[in-house]
Amino acid sequence: MRKLTIAIDGPAGSGKSSVARVVAQRLGYLYLDSGAMYRALGLKALANNGSELASEYELERLARDTRIELQPVPPHLRDAAIHNRVLLDGEDVTQAIRSREVAQAASRVATIAGVRAFLVAQQQKAGAGGGVVMEGRDIGTVVFPKAELKIFLEATAEARAERRWKEHVEKGEFFELAQVLDEVHERDKRDTERKVSPLVRASDAVLVDNTAMDVEETARLIVLLAREREKELGRPSGGAS
Ligand code: CDP
Ligand code: CDP
C-alpha cells in the first residue's frame, strides 16, 4: 500500500498533537510535531533574556545557529503529554518547551519570514519520502501543499482553552481558566493575522470540528480517511475514482 503524507493543521488546543500521534501509530507512520521546532527556538530566545524576540534580524540569526531535532518518543516514555522528543542544540528540551511562556514566544518567533523559511526547509527534509503525519499551522498550505490527505482540526476557543487548562492542572500548575482562554485568543489572533503563512484552511483540507469528540474518535475518523486514500492511490489508475 502506498504511504501517504498527511497534513494536520489547526489552532492551539484543537487536538493536533494527540490526534496525529495516534493516527501515526495506527498507520505505522512517522509523527512530526512542527510546532515543537518553533517552541524550541522560542525557548532559546527566552533563555537569552528574550532580547532576540524584539529583533527580526537576531531571530533569523538565532535560527541559523540552532540545531533542532525531532525524534520518535521511546516506548517507555509514551504518555499523552509527550509528543516528539525534542533536542535543541543536542539538549533534551521535550518538557521545557511545553510552558505557556514558551508557547507565546514560539508564536512570536513564528511571525518572522526568515525563521519560517529555515524551519520549513527542515520540515520538508524530515518528511520527504511520505509515510508521515505532520501537524502544525501551515503544513497543508506551505510545507506539504501536495499532501495526499489534509485535515483542518477545529474546536471552539472555550473547549480548546479548557483542554489546555486541564493539562496544566494535571501537571500541578494552577491558573485561571479565563487567563488560559485569553492566551488562546491572543495566539489565535497572531497565528491567523500574521503576514507570512497565516493559519488558514487549505481549500482541499477536510474540516473536522472535534469540539464534541474525544481524541480516539477524532483519530479513528482520520485513520478511516487515510485508509480510503491509500486504497485510491493504490488502484491501477493511481487516482481517485
Ligand atoms: O500545541 P499548540 O497548538 O499550542 O502549539 P504548537 O503547535 O506547539 O505551536 C506553537 C506556535 O508555533 C504556534 O502558536 C504557532 O505560532 C507556531 N507554529 C507555526 O507558526 N507553524 C507551525 N507549522 C507550527 C507552529
Ligand atoms: O496540538 P494541539 O495544541 O492542537 O492540541 P493537543 O495538545 O493535541 O491537545 C490539547 C489537549 O486536549 C490534550 O490534553 C488532549 O488530550 C485534549 N483533547 C481532547 O480532550 N479532545 C480532543 N478531541 C482533542 C484533544
Side-chain angles (χ1 to χ4, degrees):
M1 203 60 87
R2 181 164 150 199
K3 290 201 164 189
L4 314 174
T5 296
I6 302 179
I8 302 184
D9 291 302
S14 58
K16 301 178 299 295
S17 307
S18 6
V19 170
R21 215 164 47 94
V22 176
V23 169
Q25 241 168 28
R26 303 249 164 104
L27 296 172
Y29 283 18
L30 180 66
Y31 162 61
L32 290 169
D33 169 9
S34 69
M37 291 185 152
Y38 293 93
R39 282 176 180 262
L41 200 59
L43 176 70
K44 190 165 173 178
L46 284 175
N48 295 345
N49 295 325
S51 54
E52 273 116 349
L53 283 171
S55 158
E56 197 166 311
Y57 172 80
E58 287 298 323
L59 280 176
E60 286 184 23
R61 192 187 52 77
L62 194 72
R64 277 197 304 275
D65 290 346
T66 300
R67 197 161 41 88
I68 301 166
E69 292 161 72
L70 300 183
Q71 298 180 347
V73 177
H76 68 280
L77 272 182
R78 265 191 202 139
D79 94 38
I82 298 182
H83 312 307
N84 283 137
R85 181 162 180 247
V86 187
L87 299 182
L88 171 65
D89 296 324
E91 188 193 336
D92 191 325
V93 294
T94 310
Q95 301 288 357
I97 61 169
R98 294 292 149 200
S99 73
R100 291 154 61 229
E101 197 188 14
V102 171
Q104 294 297 341
S107 84
R108 287 169 67 185
V109 160
T111 61
I112 312 297
V115 168
R116 299 199 70 86
F118 188 76
L119 293 186
V120 164
Q122 293 189 30
Q123 289 153 12
Q124 288 170 333
K125 212 164 130 197
V132 61
V133 184
M134 191 178 289
E135 50 97 356
R137 302 290 189 290
D138 60 343
I139 311 305
T141 49
V142 176
V143 181
F144 292 117
K146 293 191 176 149
E148 291 93 353
L149 179 62
K150 298 181 188 177
I151 305 291
F152 195 85
L153 266 192
E154 258 182 10
T156 62
E158 287 72 18
R160 293 186 283 116
E162 196 176 337
R163 291 170 182 176
R164 269 292 137 81
W165 176 78
K166 274 191 188 151
E167 281 183 333
H168 288 299
V169 170
E170 275 160 24
K171 282 198 273 178
E173 303 165 352
F174 294 95
F175 308 106
E176 291 295 325
L177 177 57
Q179 192 184 344
V180 180
L181 180 59
D182 281 350
E183 287 169 3
V184 161
H185 280 307
E186 192 185 333
R187 216 138 54 89
D188 283 356
K189 187 169 157 56
R190 209 182 280 130
D191 288 349
T192 52
E193 292 182 0
R194 71 178 173 225
K195 287 197 188 76
V196 267
S197 313
L199 171 65
V200 59
R201 175 164 82 96
S203 55
D204 53 350
V206 181
L207 178 66
V208 178
D209 186 322
N210 69 152
T211 304
M213 288 158 81
D214 63 16
V215 171
E216 172 59 30
E217 287 166 327
T218 316
R220 208 179 303 149
L221 171 65
I222 297 173
V223 168
L224 279 175
L225 293 172
R227 296 252 189 254
E228 256 176 40
R229 200 78 185 101
E230 281 180 337
K231 266 194 219 144
E232 276 171 15
L233 293 169
R235 286 193 195 118
S237 66
S241 52

